[in-house]
Amino acid sequence: MTKIKLCGLTELCDIEAANSLTPEYIGFVFAKKSRRYVPPEKAAEFKERLATGIRAVGVFVNEAPETVAGLLEDGIIDMAQLHGSEDEIYIRRMRELTGRPLIQAFSMDAAEDIRAAEESPADYILLDSGKGGTGNAFDWNLIKGIHRPFFLAGGLHAGNVAEAVRRLSPYGVDVSSGIETDGKKDARKMAEFVRLIRQKL
């Protein structure tokens, strides 16, 4: 069963829409340079409103491990997604600080990127295009031979997600730009995205 992650939620109405759709995961972006950045205090408020059973994922780019672990241990997020140049040493340090699950993101540009993803010590891997959040898809043919379960990201939307699930059988799909209108989450697009995946299951 393909899991769903609705990422980059920034408003209370986004949380309310997610609660009605019950994806397995939602995402808060803690990278300050992102237009979807949410400060920790706002994320904490949103987490309190989040329906039981939906796991909150914090997205970070080269953040100090102690900061990430603090948000995990405080219960503001349930999992951390690493979207920068974090390496095995960083992940080992995270393991010392917290036992919460980690997702490591990889940009899929060439065969060597697949090898790096498959060797990651993180609990989960996420395959994306560019640095993430671009709204562009990568060449799915690159990952046909991957042996490890993965989250698929990068350019997903209602027009291609059913095909992605059919062709690639990802563990989960991660969407942000594809459920937005004019840079804001669109509840109707969120609902259509979730419907298309669940009707395929």
Side-chain angles (χ1 to χ4, degrees):
M1 182 181 293
T2 302
K3 311 295 185 187
I4 300 170
K5 177 167 172 274
L6 305 178
C7 199
L9 307 191
T10 61
E11 304 290 342
L12 182 56
C13 59
D14 302 341
I15 300 296
E16 292 169 346
N19 285 344
S20 71
L21 298 169
T22 62
E24 285 76 15
Y25 307 93
I26 59 93
F28 299 134
V29 177
F30 292 104
K32 291 183 180 178
K33 291 184 179 179
S34 171
R35 65 180 176 82
R36 301 183 184 98
Y37 170 72
V38 173
E41 57 272 16
K42 196 171 187 180
E45 176 190 341
F46 290 164
K47 183 62 159 60
E48 288 183 0
R49 304 288 191 94
L50 190 64
T52 303
I54 303 175
R55 304 181 82 182
V57 180
V59 180
F60 302 91
V61 178
N62 301 324
E63 185 58 79
E66 292 76 13
T67 300
V68 179
L71 291 169
L72 287 163
E73 293 303 302
D74 287 345
I76 295 173
I77 52 174
D78 303 301
M79 304 169 66
Q81 181 172 313
L82 310 175
H83 246 285
S85 57
E86 298 90 352
D87 56 13
E88 289 187 30
I89 295 172
Y90 183 102
I91 292 175
R92 280 203 301 272
R93 177 59 179 154
M94 286 296 302
R95 300 288 192 211
E96 294 171 358
L97 295 167
T98 179
R100 301 297 182 92
L102 304 175
I103 305 169
Q104 188 171 19
F106 292 87
S107 177
M108 291 291 104
D109 297 315
E112 53 265 30
D113 299 317
I114 299 169
R115 287 193 294 273
E118 289 195 316
E119 293 170 2
S120 169
D123 300 281
Y124 302 92
I125 58 171
L126 181 144
L127 311 182
D128 205 344
S129 59
K131 295 296 184 183
T134 64
N136 299 318
F138 61 88
D139 181 1
W140 293 344
N141 290 317
L142 281 172
I143 61 171
K144 278 188 173 179
I146 197 163
H147 300 295
R148 180 174 178 177
F150 61 92
F151 283 91
L152 179 68
L156 294 176
H157 52 76
N160 66 5
V161 71
E163 180 190 3
V165 171
R166 178 181 58 80
R167 283 179 54 186
L168 302 171
S169 300
Y171 167 80
V173 290
D174 185 317
V175 63
S176 189
S177 300
I179 50 172
E180 292 180 347
T181 298
D182 298 327
K184 295 290 185 181
K185 291 295 179 285
D186 183 320
R188 285 180 294 181
K189 288 184 177 180
M190 293 167 74
E192 179 66 2
F193 187 89
V194 170
R195 184 188 70 80
L196 285 164
I197 297 168
R198 292 198 169 144
Q199 75 175 9
K200 304 297 288 186
L201 302 179

